[in-house]
Amino acid sequence: MENKTPITVVIIEDDETIRNGFTYLINATENYKVLNSYSNVEDALVGLVNDKPQVILLDIELPGIKGIEAIPKIKHILPKTYIIMLTVYDNEDNVFNALTKGASGYLTKSDNTEKIIDAIQEVVNGGAPMSMNIAKIVIKSFHKNQNSPLTKRETEILEQIANGKSRSKIAKQMFIDLETVKSHIKNIYIKLNVHSREDAIKEAKNNKYI
Amino acid sequence: MENKTPITVVIIEDDETIRNGFTYLINATENYKVLNSYSNVEDALVGLVNDKPQVILLDIELPGIKGIEAIPKIKHILPKTYIIMLTVYDNEDNVFNALTKGASGYLTKSDNTEKIIDAIQEVVNGGAPMSMNIAKIVIKSFHKNQNSPLTKRETEILEQIANGKSRSKIAKQMFIDLETVKSHIKNIYIKLNVHSREDAIKEAKNNKYI
DNA sequence: AAAAAATCCCCCGTATTGGGGTATACCGAT
DNA sequence: ATCGGTATACCCCAATACGGGGGATTTTTT
């Protein structure tokens, strides 16, 4: 490979070992350069204005401002930057939130190191790199209807209902008041135009809202 | 499309509106022709000898001889005819009985009309068209635990419960008394060692009884 | 014939449900 | 700065569903 302008990277990751490891790994690769690395989003937001990297590796489990919340903030100051999420937990909600908020890729930290480089290359080329298990979650969620009239909270509650849970159980489990659950259910019924749990479940399943 | 020999169809369905609707729909489609339609199996068995259709659309909920019982009789006189079942209830037992007795496809009446035509085409081509929800039932049953402590009836009822149905709804739908449903549920709870719908569903799902 | 499964019946007390309002606090978009 | 949407919480009510306690009968399987 010839020596051209390197792909610039910034790492935001609180674990020092991982941070240094990635920095070393990427800098050791031709045509890749780590401009800076940060242990938290607050510092990163300040420094990023000068760094202006092409790609950001962003840990999802961060102290203070969480990785997911950081995405819109970063996109706000650097709209053209590609963001690759790093995570240990492949939680569906996180994956989905990150991708809809503008993350380009999603890797688990257990992915081997060559994959990280490949992923950076891939996002720069307009791709969407992600681990197999992440991809599976995404595919599954694509089967879910994107334009559900239900809010996140309502969907959560309807899912509990579909599991046979009573209002009070749902309330306990979600740490909210029974009355709040009732309110949500009322709204669910109105939105789905139904008058019972049974019909709500049926309607939601038919339309892949749940 | 050129005009070739049409695919011939016979409809056996007691609801006149549906019968006429399907007849009209199919006849309006190029290369498809409804030879005859019957409101019951008895009449159909007489007429079919002359009709000799390639495909039969057979309602599962029929007065007199039920659709499922009709399958072997039809297959006896017209062994090469493809049979597509039509149903409003996607009851697991029916699906299985029908498929093992020789039905080629299985559609719910709520499927949109183009699907019916597609399905006819598909069986003629040797396929096995079925609605998504039907297919799900088939696939699911392949994964089911064979050594469930629950009887067939109990499993059926527990599945209804898992769909959020109340006892009375279950009773109505299964054409049995509310008290019978209660008895079954009592037995289910005892067998699964639980004391609520929620726990019963959870336990049953964990062990793939449903 | 015996066992298992499916059906139906009565009683009881408590919990849940669906629906009617109303209200607050928060947040993002205009 | 305001507005709509979201999430939260509270009150009241009648109707229903629920879980558990006794049975009993018929049909199907073994």
Side-chain angles (χ1 to χ4, degrees), chain B residues 83-99:
Chain B
I83 298 174
I84 298 175
M85 305 305 292
L86 298 176
T87 186
V88 281
Y89 306 110
D90 46 0
N91 166 278
E92 176 177 333
D93 242 44
N94 280 344
V95 173
F96 268 106
N97 281 332
L99 292 178

Side-chain angles (χ1 to χ4, degrees), chain B residues 4 42 123 126-127 175 187 190 196:
Chain B
K4 42 183 182 178
E42 291 81 349
V123 283
F175 302 105
N187 290 327
I190 292 168
S196 70

Side-chain angles (χ1 to χ4, degrees), chain A residues 139-175:
Chain A
I139 288 165
K140 205 179 73 184
S141 68
F142 273 140
H143 292 314
K144 259 189 202 172
N145 196 333
Q146 240 75 79
N147 30 327
S148 167
L150 303 179
T151 68
K152 227 171 71 172
R153 208 59 164 164
E154 286 162 359
T155 306
E156 262 183 272
I157 287 176
L158 188 47
E159 257 153 9
Q160 302 294 309
I161 289 178
N163 286 331
K165 290 202 170 60
S166 70
R167 297 165 171 183
S168 42
K169 282 273 175 67
I170 296 172
K172 257 173 216 154
Q173 194 154 331
M174 295 180 69
F175 303 104

Side-chain angles (χ1 to χ4, degrees), chain B residues 151 153 177 179-180 182-184:
Chain B
T151 68
R153 208 58 166 163
D177 195 276
E179 289 300 328
T180 307
K182 283 180 65 176
S183 294
H184 284 306

Side-chain angles (χ1 to χ4, degrees), chain A residues 32-72:
Chain A
Y32 289 82
K33 173 134 195 62
V34 175
L35 299 177
N36 240 322
S37 70
Y38 304 92
S39 63
N40 62 73
V41 176
E42 290 82 347
D43 291 351
L45 286 174
V46 176
L48 276 174
V49 192
N50 295 319
D51 299 335
K52 293 198 186 65
Q54 288 173 270
V55 179
I56 295 172
L57 297 185
L58 176 57
D59 184 18
I60 212 163
E61 295 96 6
L62 282 172
I65 299 179
K66 299 274 172 285
I68 299 229
E69 306 159 37
I71 300 174

Side-chain angles (χ1 to χ4, degrees), chain A:
Chain A
M1 292 175 193
E2 67 263 4
N3 227 351
K4 42 181 181 176
T5 318
I7 293 172
T8 52
V9 181
V10 158
I11 300 169
I12 309 174
E13 158 71 59
D14 64 317
D15 185 300
E16 193 184 331
T17 311
I18 296 180
R19 196 171 64 240
N20 292 339
F22 279 163
T23 303
Y24 175 81
L25 164 80
I26 294 167
N27 277 331
T29 309
E30 220 173 344
N31 293 334
Y32 289 82
K33 173 134 195 62
V34 175
L35 299 177
N36 240 322
S37 70
Y38 304 92
S39 63
N40 62 73
V41 176
E42 290 82 347
D43 291 351
L45 286 174
V46 176
L48 276 174
V49 192
N50 295 319
D51 299 335
K52 293 198 186 65
Q54 288 173 270
V55 179
I56 295 172
L57 297 185
L58 176 57
D59 184 18
I60 212 163
E61 295 96 6
L62 282 172
I65 299 179
K66 299 274 172 285
I68 299 229
E69 306 159 37
I71 300 174
K73 296 183 201 295
I74 293 171
K75 280 279 172 183
H76 184 67
I77 57 171
L78 296 171
K80 296 186 71 179
T81 298
Y82 297 106
I83 298 175
I84 298 175
M85 304 305 291
L86 298 175
T87 186
V88 280
Y89 307 109
D90 49 358
N91 165 277
E92 175 177 336
D93 240 44
N94 279 344
V95 173
F96 206 65
N97 280 332
L99 292 178
T100 56
K101 289 204 172 150
S104 299
Y106 212 109
L107 297 177
T108 48
K109 289 179 185 170
S110 57
D111 283 329
N112 59 50
T113 46
E114 302 91 60
K115 252 192 200 140
I116 309 285
I117 298 293
D118 288 349
I120 294 172
Q121 181 68 60
E122 204 179 332
V123 283
V124 172
N125 291 336
M130 51 191 75
S131 315
M132 262 315 291
N133 46 344
I134 302 282
K136 261 188 223 154
I137 292 174
V138 173
I139 288 165
K140 205 179 73 184
S141 68
F142 273 140
H143 292 314
K144 259 189 202 172
N145 196 333
Q146 240 75 79
N147 30 327
S148 167
L150 303 179
T151 68
K152 227 171 71 172
R153 208 59 164 164
E154 286 162 359
T155 306
E156 262 183 272
I157 287 176
L158 188 47
E159 257 153 9
Q160 302 294 309
I161 289 178
N163 286 331
K165 290 202 170 60
S166 70
R167 297 165 171 183
S168 42
K169 282 273 175 67
I170 296 172
K172 257 173 216 154
Q173 194 154 331
M174 295 180 69
F175 303 104
I176 54 179
D177 196 277
L178 170 63
E179 290 300 328
T180 306
V181 177
K182 284 181 64 177
S183 293
H184 283 307
I185 293 177
K186 279 182 209 172
N187 290 326
I188 292 170
Y189 286 5
I190 291 169
K191 285 181 179 177
L192 300 187
N193 194 29
V194 296
H195 304 277
S196 70
R197 340 187 100 217
E198 181 197 345
D199 291 341
I201 294 170
K202 203 193 302 167
E203 185 69 12
K205 280 190 175 167
N206 279 344
N207 295 300
K208 297 204 160 55
Y209 299 155
I210 59 169

Side-chain angles (χ1 to χ4, degrees), chain B residues 107-142:
Chain B
L107 297 178
T108 47
K109 288 180 186 169
S110 57
D111 281 328
N112 60 51
T113 45
E114 300 93 59
K115 254 193 197 136
I116 310 285
I117 298 291
D118 290 348
I120 295 171
Q121 182 67 60
E122 203 178 331
V123 283
V124 172
N125 292 336
M130 48 190 77
S131 314
M132 263 313 293
N133 47 341
I134 303 281
K136 261 189 225 155
I137 291 175
V138 174
I139 291 165
K140 203 180 71 185
S141 70
F142 280 133

